[in-house]
Coordinates of all heavy atoms in Angstrom, one line a residue:
D1 N -42.2 150.7 -33.5 CA -42.9 151.3 -32.3 C -43.2 150.2 -31.3 O -43.2 149.0 -31.7 CB -44.1 152.2 -32.6 CG -45.4 151.5 -32.9 OD1 -45.7 150.4 -32.3 OD2 -46.2 152.2 -33.6
A2 N -43.3 150.5 -30.0 CA -43.4 149.5 -29.0 C -44.7 148.7 -29.2 O -44.7 147.5 -28.9 CB -43.5 150.2 -27.6
E3 N -45.8 149.3 -29.7 CA -47.1 148.5 -29.9 C -46.9 147.4 -30.9 O -47.4 146.4 -30.7 CB -48.2 149.5 -30.4 CG -48.7 150.4 -29.3 CD -49.8 151.3 -29.8 OE1 -49.9 151.5 -31.0 OE2 -50.6 151.7 -29.0
A4 N -46.1 147.7 -31.9 CA -45.9 146.7 -33.0 C -45.3 145.4 -32.4 O -45.3 144.4 -33.0 CB -45.1 147.3 -34.1
D5 N -44.5 145.5 -31.3 CA -43.8 144.4 -30.8 C -44.7 143.6 -29.7 O -44.2 142.7 -29.1 CB -42.5 144.8 -30.1 CG -41.6 145.4 -31.1 OD1 -41.6 144.9 -32.3 OD2 -40.8 146.3 -30.8
G6 N -45.9 144.0 -29.5 CA -46.7 143.4 -28.5 C -48.1 143.2 -28.9 O -48.4 142.9 -30.1
A7 N -49.0 143.2 -27.9 CA -50.4 142.9 -28.2 C -51.2 143.9 -27.2 O -50.7 144.3 -26.2 CB -50.7 141.5 -28.0
G8 N -52.4 144.1 -27.6 CA -53.2 145.0 -26.7 C -54.6 144.8 -26.8 O -55.2 144.0 -27.6
V9 N -55.3 145.4 -25.9 CA -56.8 145.4 -25.8 C -57.2 146.9 -25.7 O -56.6 147.7 -25.0 CB -57.3 144.7 -24.5 CG1 -58.8 144.8 -24.4 CG2 -56.9 143.3 -24.5
R10 N -58.2 147.2 -26.5 CA -58.8 148.6 -26.5 C -60.3 148.4 -26.2 O -61.0 147.6 -26.8 CB -58.7 149.3 -27.8 CG -59.5 150.6 -27.9 CD -59.1 151.4 -29.1 NE -57.8 152.1 -28.8 CZ -57.1 152.7 -29.8 NH1 -57.5 152.8 -31.0 NH2 -55.9 153.2 -29.5
V11 N -60.8 149.1 -25.2 CA -62.1 148.9 -24.8 C -62.8 150.3 -24.5 O -62.2 151.2 -24.1 CB -62.2 148.0 -23.4 CG1 -61.5 148.7 -22.3 CG2 -63.7 147.7 -23.1
A12 N -64.1 150.3 -24.8 CA -64.9 151.5 -24.5 C -66.3 151.0 -24.1 O -66.8 149.9 -24.6 CB -65.1 152.4 -25.7
C13 N -67.0 151.7 -23.2 CA -68.2 151.3 -22.7 C -69.1 152.5 -22.6 O -68.7 153.6 -22.2 CB -68.0 150.6 -21.3 SG -69.5 149.9 -20.6
S14 N -70.4 152.3 -22.9 CA -71.3 153.5 -22.9 C -71.6 154.0 -21.5 O -72.0 155.1 -21.3 CB -72.7 153.1 -23.6 OG -73.3 152.1 -22.8
R15 N -71.3 153.2 -20.5 CA -71.5 153.6 -19.1 C -70.2 153.4 -18.3 O -69.4 152.5 -18.7 CB -72.6 152.8 -18.4 CG -74.0 152.9 -19.0 CD -74.5 154.3 -18.6 NE -75.9 154.4 -19.1 CZ -76.3 155.1 -20.2 NH1 -75.3 155.6 -21.0 NH2 -77.5 155.2 -20.5
P16 N -69.9 154.2 -17.4 CA -68.7 154.0 -16.6 C -68.7 152.6 -15.9 O -69.7 152.1 -15.5 CB -68.7 155.1 -15.5 CG -69.6 156.1 -16.1 CD -70.6 155.4 -16.8
G17 N -67.6 152.0 -15.9 CA -67.4 150.6 -15.3 C -66.0 150.3 -15.1 O -65.1 151.1 -15.1
R18 N -65.8 148.9 -15.1 CA -64.4 148.5 -14.9 C -64.2 147.2 -15.7 O -65.1 146.4 -15.8 CB -64.0 148.5 -13.5 CG -63.8 147.2 -12.8 CD -63.6 147.4 -11.4 NE -64.8 146.9 -10.7 CZ -65.1 147.1 -9.5 NH1 -64.3 147.7 -8.7 NH2 -66.2 146.6 -9.1
M19 N -63.1 147.0 -16.2 CA -62.7 145.8 -17.0 C -61.5 145.1 -16.3 O -60.6 145.8 -15.9 CB -62.4 146.1 -18.4 CG -62.0 144.9 -19.2 SD -61.6 145.3 -20.8 CE -61.4 143.6 -21.6
T20 N -61.6 143.8 -16.2 CA -60.4 143.0 -15.7 C -60.0 142.1 -16.8 O -60.9 141.4 -17.3 CB -60.8 142.2 -14.4 OG1 -61.2 143.1 -13.4 CG2 -59.6 141.5 -13.9
V21 N -58.8 142.1 -17.1 CA -58.2 141.2 -18.2 C -56.8 141.0 -17.9 O -56.0 141.9 -17.4 CB -58.4 141.7 -19.6 CG1 -57.7 143.0 -19.8 CG2 -58.0 140.7 -20.7
A22 N -56.3 139.8 -18.0 CA -54.9 139.4 -17.8 C -54.4 139.8 -16.5 O -53.3 140.3 -16.2 CB -54.0 140.1 -18.9
G23 N -55.3 139.7 -15.4 CA -55.0 140.0 -14.0 C -54.9 141.5 -13.7 O -54.5 141.8 -12.6
R24 N -55.3 142.3 -14.6 CA -55.2 143.8 -14.4 C -56.6 144.4 -14.6 O -57.4 143.9 -15.3 CB -54.3 144.4 -15.4 CG -52.9 143.9 -15.1 CD -51.9 144.2 -16.3 NE -51.8 145.6 -16.7 CZ -51.3 146.0 -17.8 NH1 -50.8 145.0 -18.6 NH2 -51.2 147.2 -18.1
T25 N -56.9 145.4 -13.8 CA -58.2 146.1 -13.8 C -58.0 147.5 -14.2 O -57.1 148.2 -13.8 CB -58.9 146.0 -12.4 OG1 -59.0 144.6 -12.1 CG2 -60.2 146.7 -12.4
L26 N -58.9 148.0 -15.1 CA -58.9 149.4 -15.5 C -60.3 149.9 -15.6 O -61.3 149.2 -15.8 CB -58.2 149.6 -16.8 CG -58.8 149.1 -18.1 CD1 -58.4 149.9 -19.3 CD2 -58.4 147.6 -18.4
E27 N -60.4 151.2 -15.3 CA -61.7 151.9 -15.4 C -62.0 152.1 -16.9 O -61.1 152.4 -17.7 CB -61.6 153.3 -14.7 CG -61.3 153.2 -13.3 CD -62.3 152.5 -12.5 OE1 -63.5 152.8 -12.6 OE2 -61.9 151.6 -11.6
V28 N -63.3 151.9 -17.3 CA -63.7 152.1 -18.6 C -64.9 153.1 -18.7 O -65.6 153.3 -17.7 CB -64.1 150.7 -19.3 CG1 -62.9 149.8 -19.4 CG2 -65.2 150.0 -18.5
G29 N -65.1 153.6 -19.8 CA -66.1 154.6 -20.1 C -66.3 154.8 -21.6 O -65.7 154.0 -22.4
P30 N -66.9 155.9 -22.0 CA -67.1 156.2 -23.4 C -65.8 156.4 -24.2 O -65.8 156.2 -25.4 CB -68.0 157.4 -23.4 CG -68.5 157.6 -22.1 CD -67.6 156.8 -21.2
E31 N -64.8 156.8 -23.6 CA -63.4 157.1 -24.3 C -62.7 155.8 -24.3 O -62.8 155.0 -23.4 CB -62.6 158.1 -23.5 CG -63.3 159.5 -23.4 CD -63.5 160.1 -24.8 OE1 -62.6 160.0 -25.7 OE2 -64.6 160.7 -25.0
D32 N -61.9 155.5 -25.4 CA -61.1 154.3 -25.5 C -60.1 154.2 -24.3 O -59.5 155.2 -24.0 CB -60.4 154.3 -26.8 CG -61.2 154.0 -28.0 OD1 -62.3 153.4 -27.9 OD2 -60.8 154.4 -29.1
A33 N -60.0 153.0 -23.8 CA -59.0 152.8 -22.8 C -58.1 151.6 -23.4 O -58.7 150.6 -23.9 CB -59.6 152.3 -21.5
D34 N -56.8 151.8 -23.3 CA -55.9 150.8 -23.9 C -55.1 150.1 -22.9 O -54.7 150.7 -21.8 CB -54.9 151.5 -24.9 CG -55.6 152.0 -26.1 OD1 -56.5 151.3 -26.7 OD2 -55.4 153.2 -26.5
L35 N -54.9 148.8 -23.1 CA -54.1 148.0 -22.1 C -53.2 147.1 -23.0 O -53.6 146.5 -23.9 CB -55.0 147.2 -21.3 CG -54.4 146.3 -20.2 CD1 -53.7 147.1 -19.2 CD2 -55.5 145.4 -19.7
T36 N -51.9 147.1 -22.6 CA -50.9 146.2 -23.3 C -51.0 144.9 -22.5 O -51.0 144.8 -21.3 CB -49.5 146.7 -23.2 OG1 -49.5 148.0 -23.9 CG2 -48.5 145.8 -23.9
V37 N -51.1 143.7 -23.3 CA -51.2 142.4 -22.7 C -50.2 141.5 -23.5 O -49.8 141.8 -24.6 CB -52.6 141.8 -22.8 CG1 -53.6 142.7 -22.0 CG2 -53.1 141.7 -24.2
E38 N -49.9 140.4 -22.9 CA -49.1 139.4 -23.6 C -50.0 138.7 -24.7 O -51.2 138.5 -24.5 CB -48.7 138.4 -22.6 CG -47.6 138.8 -21.6 CD -46.3 139.2 -22.3 OE1 -45.8 138.4 -23.2 OE2 -45.7 140.2 -21.9
P39 N -49.4 138.4 -25.8 CA -50.2 137.6 -26.8 C -50.7 136.3 -26.1 O -50.1 135.8 -25.3 CB -49.2 137.3 -27.9 CG -48.1 138.4 -27.7 CD -48.1 138.6 -26.3
G40 N -51.9 135.9 -26.5 CA -52.5 134.7 -26.1 C -54.0 134.8 -25.7 O -54.6 135.9 -26.2
T41 N -54.5 133.9 -25.1 CA -56.0 133.8 -24.8 C -56.1 134.3 -23.4 O -55.4 133.9 -22.4 CB -56.5 132.5 -24.9 OG1 -56.3 132.0 -26.3 CG2 -58.0 132.4 -24.6
H42 N -57.0 135.3 -23.1 CA -57.3 135.9 -21.9 C -58.8 135.9 -21.6 O -59.6 136.1 -22.4 CB -56.8 137.3 -21.8 CG -55.3 137.4 -22.1 ND1 -54.4 137.2 -21.2 CD2 -54.7 137.8 -23.3 CE1 -53.2 137.4 -21.8 NE2 -53.4 137.8 -23.1
T43 N -59.1 135.6 -20.3 CA -60.5 135.8 -19.9 C -60.7 137.3 -19.5 O -59.8 137.9 -18.9 CB -60.8 134.9 -18.6 OG1 -60.6 133.6 -19.0 CG2 -62.2 135.1 -18.1
F44 N -61.8 137.8 -19.7 CA -62.1 139.2 -19.3 C -63.5 139.3 -18.7 O -64.4 138.5 -18.9 CB -62.0 140.2 -20.5 CG -63.2 140.1 -21.5 CD1 -64.3 140.7 -21.3 CD2 -63.1 139.2 -22.6 CE1 -65.4 140.6 -22.2 CE2 -64.1 139.1 -23.5 CZ -65.3 139.8 -23.3
V45 N -63.6 140.3 -17.8 CA -64.8 140.6 -17.1 C -65.0 142.1 -17.3 O -64.1 142.9 -16.9 CB -64.8 140.2 -15.6 CG1 -66.2 140.6 -15.0 CG2 -64.6 138.8 -15.5
V46 N -66.2 142.6 -17.7 CA -66.5 144.0 -17.7 C -67.8 144.2 -16.9 O -68.7 143.5 -17.1 CB -66.8 144.5 -19.1 CG1 -67.3 146.0 -19.1 CG2 -65.6 144.5 -20.0
E47 N -67.7 145.0 -15.9 CA -68.9 145.4 -15.1 C -69.2 146.8 -15.2 O -68.4 147.7 -15.0 CB -68.5 145.1 -13.6 CG -68.2 143.7 -13.3 CD -67.8 143.4 -11.9 OE1 -68.7 143.2 -11.1 OE2 -66.6 143.5 -11.6
A48 N -70.5 147.1 -15.7 CA -71.0 148.4 -16.0 C -72.5 148.4 -16.1 O -73.1 147.4 -16.5 CB -70.4 149.0 -17.3
G49 N -73.1 149.4 -15.6 CA -74.6 149.6 -15.7 C -75.3 148.5 -15.1 O -76.4 148.1 -15.5
G50 N -74.8 147.9 -14.0 CA -75.4 146.9 -13.3 C -75.3 145.5 -13.9 O -76.0 144.5 -13.5
L51 N -74.5 145.3 -15.0 CA -74.3 144.1 -15.7 C -72.9 143.6 -15.6 O -72.0 144.4 -15.5 CB -74.8 144.2 -17.2 CG -76.3 144.5 -17.4 CD1 -76.5 144.7 -18.9 CD2 -77.2 143.4 -16.9
R52 N -72.7 142.4 -15.8 CA -71.4 141.8 -15.9 C -71.3 141.0 -17.2 O -72.1 140.1 -17.4 CB -71.2 140.9 -14.8 CG -69.8 140.2 -14.8 CD -69.6 139.3 -13.6 NE -69.4 140.1 -12.5 CZ -69.5 139.7 -11.2 NH1 -69.7 138.4 -11.0 NH2 -69.4 140.5 -10.2
F53 N -70.3 141.4 -18.1 CA -70.0 140.7 -19.3 C -68.8 139.9 -19.0 O -67.8 140.3 -18.6 CB -69.7 141.6 -20.4 CG -70.8 142.5 -20.8 CD1 -70.9 143.8 -20.2 CD2 -71.8 142.2 -21.7 CE1 -72.0 144.7 -20.6 CE2 -72.8 143.0 -22.0 CZ -72.9 144.3 -21.5
V54 N -68.8 138.5 -19.3 CA -67.7 137.7 -19.1 C -67.4 137.0 -20.4 O -68.3 136.5 -21.1 CB -68.0 136.6 -18.0 CG1 -66.8 135.7 -17.9 CG2 -68.4 137.3 -16.7
G55 N -66.1 136.9 -20.8 CA -65.8 136.2 -22.1 C -64.3 135.9 -22.2 O -63.6 136.1 -21.2
A56 N -63.9 135.5 -23.3 CA -62.5 135.2 -23.6 C -62.1 135.9 -24.9 O -62.9 136.0 -25.7 CB -62.3 133.7 -23.7
L57 N -60.8 136.3 -25.0 CA -60.4 136.9 -26.2 C -59.0 136.4 -26.5 O -58.2 136.0 -25.6 CB -60.4 138.4 -26.1 CG -59.7 139.1 -24.9 CD1 -58.2 139.3 -25.1 CD2 -60.3 140.4 -24.6
E58 N -58.7 136.3 -27.8 CA -57.3 135.9 -28.2 C -56.7 137.0 -28.9 O -57.2 137.6 -29.8 CB -57.4 134.7 -29.2 CG -56.1 134.1 -29.5 CD -56.1 133.0 -30.5 OE1 -57.2 132.5 -30.8 OE2 -55.0 132.6 -31.0
V59 N -55.6 137.4 -28.3 CA -54.8 138.6 -28.9 C -53.5 138.0 -29.5 O -52.7 137.3 -28.8 CB -54.5 139.6 -27.8 CG1 -53.8 140.8 -28.4 CG2 -55.7 140.0 -27.0
R60 N -53.3 138.3 -30.8 CA -52.1 137.9 -31.4 C -51.1 139.0 -31.4 O -51.3 140.1 -31.3 CB -52.5 137.5 -32.9 CG -53.5 136.3 -32.9 CD -53.8 135.9 -34.3 NE -54.4 137.1 -35.1 CZ -54.2 137.2 -36.4 NH1 -53.6 136.4 -37.1 NH2 -54.8 138.2 -37.0
E61 N -49.8 138.5 -31.6 CA -48.7 139.5 -31.6 C -48.9 140.5 -32.7 O -49.3 140.2 -33.8 CB -47.4 138.7 -32.0 CG -46.1 139.5 -31.9 CD -45.6 139.8 -30.5 OE1 -45.9 139.1 -29.6 OE2 -44.9 140.8 -30.4
G62 N -48.7 141.8 -32.3 CA -48.8 142.9 -33.3 C -50.3 143.3 -33.6 O -50.5 144.0 -34.6
T63 N -51.2 142.8 -32.7 CA -52.6 143.2 -32.9 C -53.2 143.8 -31.7 O -52.7 143.6 -30.6 CB -53.5 142.0 -33.4 OG1 -53.5 141.1 -32.3 CG2 -52.9 141.3 -34.6
R64 N -54.3 144.4 -31.8 CA -55.1 144.9 -30.8 C -56.5 144.4 -30.9 O -57.2 144.4 -31.9 CB -55.2 146.5 -30.8 CG -56.0 147.1 -29.7 CD -56.2 148.6 -29.9 NE -55.0 149.3 -29.8 CZ -54.5 150.1 -30.7 NH1 -55.2 150.3 -31.8 NH2 -53.4 150.7 -30.6
F65 N -57.0 143.8 -29.8 CA -58.4 143.3 -29.7 C -59.3 144.5 -29.2 O -59.0 145.1 -28.2 CB -58.5 142.1 -28.7 CG -59.7 141.3 -28.9 CD1 -59.7 140.2 -29.7 CD2 -60.9 141.6 -28.2 CE1 -60.8 139.4 -29.9 CE2 -62.0 140.8 -28.4 CZ -62.0 139.7 -29.3
V66 N -60.3 144.8 -30.0 CA -61.1 146.0 -29.7 C -62.5 145.5 -29.2 O -63.2 144.7 -29.9 CB -61.3 146.9 -31.0 CG1 -62.2 148.1 -30.6 CG2 -59.9 147.3 -31.5
L67 N -62.9 146.0 -28.0 CA -64.2 145.6 -27.5 C -65.0 146.9 -27.3 O -64.6 147.9 -26.8 CB -64.0 145.0 -26.1 CG -63.3 143.6 -26.1 CD1 -62.7 143.3 -24.7 CD2 -64.3 142.5 -26.5
R68 N -66.3 146.8 -27.6 CA -67.3 147.9 -27.3 C -68.5 147.3 -26.5 O -69.0 146.2 -26.9 CB -67.8 148.5 -28.6 CG -66.7 149.1 -29.5 CD -66.2 150.4 -28.9 NE -65.2 151.0 -29.7 CZ -64.0 151.1 -29.4 NH1 -63.5 150.7 -28.2 NH2 -63.1 151.8 -30.2
F69 N -68.8 147.9 -25.4 CA -69.9 147.5 -24.6 C -71.0 148.6 -24.4 O -70.7 149.7 -24.3 CB -69.4 147.1 -23.2 CG -68.4 146.0 -23.2 CD1 -67.1 146.2 -23.2 CD2 -68.9 144.7 -23.2 CE1 -66.2 145.2 -23.3 CE2 -68.0 143.6 -23.2 CZ -66.6 143.9 -23.3
D70 N -72.2 148.1 -24.5 CA -73.3 149.1 -24.2 C -74.3 148.3 -23.3 O -75.1 147.5 -23.7 CB -74.1 149.5 -25.5 CG -75.1 150.6 -25.2 OD1 -75.6 150.6 -24.0 OD2 -75.4 151.3 -26.1
P71 N -74.2 148.4 -21.9 CA -75.1 147.7 -21.1 C -76.6 148.1 -21.2 O -77.4 147.2 -20.9 CB -74.5 148.0 -19.6 CG -73.7 149.2 -19.8 CD -73.3 149.3 -21.2
V72 N -76.8 149.3 -21.6 CA -78.3 149.7 -21.7 C -78.9 148.9 -22.8 O -80.1 148.4 -22.7 CB -78.3 151.2 -22.0 CG1 -79.8 151.6 -22.3 CG2 -77.8 152.0 -20.8
E73 N -78.2 148.8 -24.0 CA -78.8 148.0 -25.1 C -78.4 146.6 -25.0 O -78.8 145.8 -25.9 CB -78.2 148.7 -26.4 CG -78.6 150.1 -26.6 CD -80.2 150.2 -26.9 OE1 -80.8 149.3 -27.5 OE2 -80.7 151.2 -26.5
R74 N -77.7 146.2 -24.1 CA -77.1 144.8 -23.9 C -76.4 144.4 -25.2 O -76.7 143.3 -25.7 CB -78.3 143.9 -23.5 CG -78.7 144.2 -22.1 CD -79.8 143.3 -21.6 NE -80.3 143.8 -20.4 CZ -80.2 143.1 -19.2 NH1 -79.7 141.9 -19.3 NH2 -80.7 143.6 -18.1
Y75 N -75.5 145.2 -25.6 CA -74.8 145.0 -26.9 C -73.3 144.9 -26.6 O -72.8 145.7 -25.9 CB -75.2 146.3 -27.8 CG -74.4 146.2 -29.1 CD1 -74.8 145.5 -30.1 CD2 -73.2 147.0 -29.2 CE1 -74.2 145.6 -31.3 CE2 -72.6 147.1 -30.4 CZ -73.1 146.3 -31.5 OH -72.4 146.3 -32.7
V76 N -72.7 144.0 -27.3 CA -71.2 143.8 -27.3 C -70.8 143.7 -28.7 O -71.3 142.9 -29.5 CB -70.8 142.6 -26.5 CG1 -69.3 142.4 -26.4 CG2 -71.4 142.6 -25.0
S77 N -69.7 144.3 -29.0 CA -69.1 144.1 -30.3 C -67.6 144.0 -30.1 O -67.0 144.4 -29.1 CB -69.4 145.2 -31.3 OG -68.7 146.4 -30.9
W78 N -66.9 143.3 -31.0 CA -65.5 143.1 -31.0 C -64.9 143.0 -32.4 O -65.6 142.7 -33.3 CB -65.1 141.9 -30.1 CG -65.6 140.6 -30.7 CD1 -64.9 139.8 -31.6 CD2 -66.9 140.0 -30.6 NE1 -65.7 138.7 -32.0 CE2 -66.9 138.8 -31.4 CE3 -68.0 140.3 -29.9 CZ2 -68.0 138.0 -31.5 CZ3 -69.2 139.5 -30.0 CH2 -69.1 138.4 -30.8
G79 N -63.6 143.2 -32.4 CA -62.9 143.1 -33.7 C -61.4 143.1 -33.3 O -60.9 143.2 -32.2
E80 N -60.6 143.0 -34.4 CA -59.1 143.0 -34.3 C -58.5 144.0 -35.2 O -58.9 144.2 -36.3 CB -58.6 141.6 -34.6 CG -57.1 141.4 -34.5 CD -56.7 140.0 -35.0 OE1 -56.8 139.7 -36.1 OE2 -56.1 139.3 -34.1
E81 N -57.6 144.8 -34.7 CA -56.8 145.8 -35.4 C -55.4 145.3 -35.5 O -54.8 144.8 -34.6 CB -56.9 147.1 -34.8 CG -58.2 147.8 -34.7 CD -58.2 149.1 -34.0 OE1 -57.2 149.4 -33.4 OE2 -59.2 149.8 -34.1
I82 N -54.7 145.5 -36.7 CA -53.3 145.3 -36.8 C -52.6 146.6 -36.5 O -53.0 147.6 -37.2 CB -53.0 144.7 -38.2 CG1 -53.7 143.4 -38.4 CG2 -51.5 144.6 -38.4 CD1 -53.7 142.9 -39.8
Y83 N -51.6 146.6 -35.7 CA -50.9 147.8 -35.4 C -50.4 148.4 -36.7 O -49.8 147.7 -37.5 CB -49.8 147.6 -34.4 CG -50.3 147.4 -33.0 CD1 -49.9 146.4 -32.2 CD2 -51.1 148.3 -32.4 CE1 -50.3 146.2 -30.9 CE2 -51.6 148.2 -31.0 CZ -51.2 147.1 -30.3 OH -51.6 146.9 -29.1
G84 N -50.5 149.7 -36.8 CA -50.0 150.4 -38.0 C -50.9 150.5 -39.1 O -50.7 151.2 -40.1
S85 N -52.1 149.8 -39.0 CA -53.1 149.9 -40.1 C -54.0 151.0 -39.8 O -54.2 151.4 -38.7 CB -53.8 148.6 -40.3 OG -54.6 148.3 -39.1
K86 N -54.6 151.6 -40.8 CA -55.6 152.7 -40.6 C -57.0 152.1 -40.8 O -57.3 151.3 -41.5 CB -55.4 153.7 -41.6 CG -53.9 154.2 -41.6 CD -53.9 155.5 -40.8 CE -52.5 156.0 -40.8 NZ -51.8 156.3 -39.7

C-alpha cells in the first residue's frame, strides 16, 4: 500500500486549531488528521486553545509519527506506529 512506501504524521487536538509541518498546514481537532511527509526530521507548530506548541519530530520510512495535544490540560503525547501493525 502507498503508506508503507512513505512516512506520515497523525495528529489530534482536544480543541480546534491548526498544525504546520513540512511546510504544510492542516486544520486539527478531536478527530485524527493524517498528513504524508517525506522521511526525516521536521519542525512542527500546533496552535490551539490560545497556545502554541513548537517541536521537532523524526519520521522514518514506513512509519507514522502520532501526536496528541490538549491545550486545556497543557498535555502533549507522541509515539510512532509502523504501517501495517495493529
Side-chain angles (χ1 to χ4, degrees):
D1 84 26
E3 288 181 334
D5 295 328
V9 175
R10 173 171 282 171
V11 61
C13 187
S14 64
R15 298 287 185 262
R18 110 185 107 192
M19 178 179 188
T20 302
V21 63
R24 296 165 53 196
T25 300
L26 68 151
E27 299 298 313
V28 296
E31 299 295 320
D32 286 337
D34 292 315
L35 180 66
T36 301
V37 297
E38 291 294 319
T41 301
H42 303 281
T43 300
F44 71 86
V45 177
V46 175
E47 296 177 90
L51 296 176
R52 178 180 291 164
F53 300 94
V54 180
L57 51 86
E58 182 178 355
V59 184
R60 298 181 301 147
E61 185 76 26
T63 67
R64 176 187 297 126
F65 199 91
V66 180
L67 295 159
R68 300 287 183 248
F69 297 95
D70 185 338
V72 174
E73 297 293 326
R74 295 180 182 244
Y75 175 81
V76 179
S77 69
W78 64 92
E80 181 182 62
E81 295 177 346
I82 298 170
Y83 285 129
S85 68
K86 303 265 184 231

